[in-house]
Amino acid sequence: QDGLDRYDGFGFKTYYKGKTSRSPSDSWITQLYTDRHNQLWIIYNGSGLERFDPQTETFHTYLPDPLKEGFISSVVFSGRQTYSSKRFFEDSEGQLWIGTEQGLNLYNRAEDRFTQYMSDPADPESLSDNRIVNIFECGRGYLWVGTMNGLNRMDKLTGKVKRFMSAPSSDFQLRSPNIS
């Protein structure tokens, strides 16, 4: 709740909230994820997303902008985190996926940009809900996305989704809409 601590084997260095790229934009950290490129992704309490580069000791802040392409869809993350929740997921091709309260985001490392995947009630091949709880990849290469309202199997090449929705009275459908 008071910054990011980095241990080097001998002592701690603390990065406190500040206004420069050498400081985190918030103090209360709720989740950390280190990707395959040794970048530390930080989720802050309530909202906020940053990437920390340990080589340059710089923080990169991501903010949504609904009017521009390439921005993350949201920096608000579900408060219903469980030990099995996966908001960050790297697939078999090394692509980083980030699930938020407002959609699924694919990070493009080379361009430091995002591609958004959102629920569209008019499109049955879109996500069933924007509140992403879990992300997983099966052996066939499909991305499985658990939401607060259904399970989704996404073809990563096309972005098209097959939805699996709940029907508590059926033996052949999900019993609960919340896939946690």
Side-chain angles (χ1 to χ4, degrees), residues 28-78:
W28 193 333
I29 297 168
T30 59
Q31 188 174 357
L32 299 173
Y33 177 79
T34 304
D35 68 20
R36 293 179 188 172
H37 296 270
N38 204 32
Q39 299 292 292
L40 181 66
W41 292 84
I42 305 165
I43 293 177
Y44 295 102
N45 187 44
S47 67
L49 176 69
E50 285 186 321
R51 178 175 53 85
F52 176 69
D53 184 334
Q55 294 297 317
T56 61
E57 294 190 53
T58 55
F59 292 83
H60 305 268
T61 303
Y62 296 97
L63 298 171
D65 188 337
L67 302 176
K68 296 181 183 174
E69 287 187 23
F71 284 75
I72 194 161
S73 62
S74 174
V75 292
V76 178
F77 297 87
S78 172

Side-chain angles (χ1 to χ4, degrees), residues 86-133:
K86 284 194 173 208
R87 295 188 181 115
F88 296 95
F89 182 80
E90 286 181 90
D91 67 20
S92 58
E93 295 153 11
Q95 299 180 108
L96 179 64
W97 300 83
I98 302 173
T100 72
E101 281 283 307
Q102 290 297 319
L104 180 65
N105 300 269
L106 174 59
Y107 180 61
N108 180 324
R109 292 178 204 282
E111 298 178 12
D112 196 29
R113 300 170 46 98
F114 294 92
T115 300
Q116 300 176 9
Y117 296 89
M118 308 286 282
S119 175
D120 178 357
D123 182 2
E125 293 183 325
S126 71
L127 292 170
S128 62
D129 192 76
N130 282 327
R131 298 167 295 169
I132 310 301
V133 180

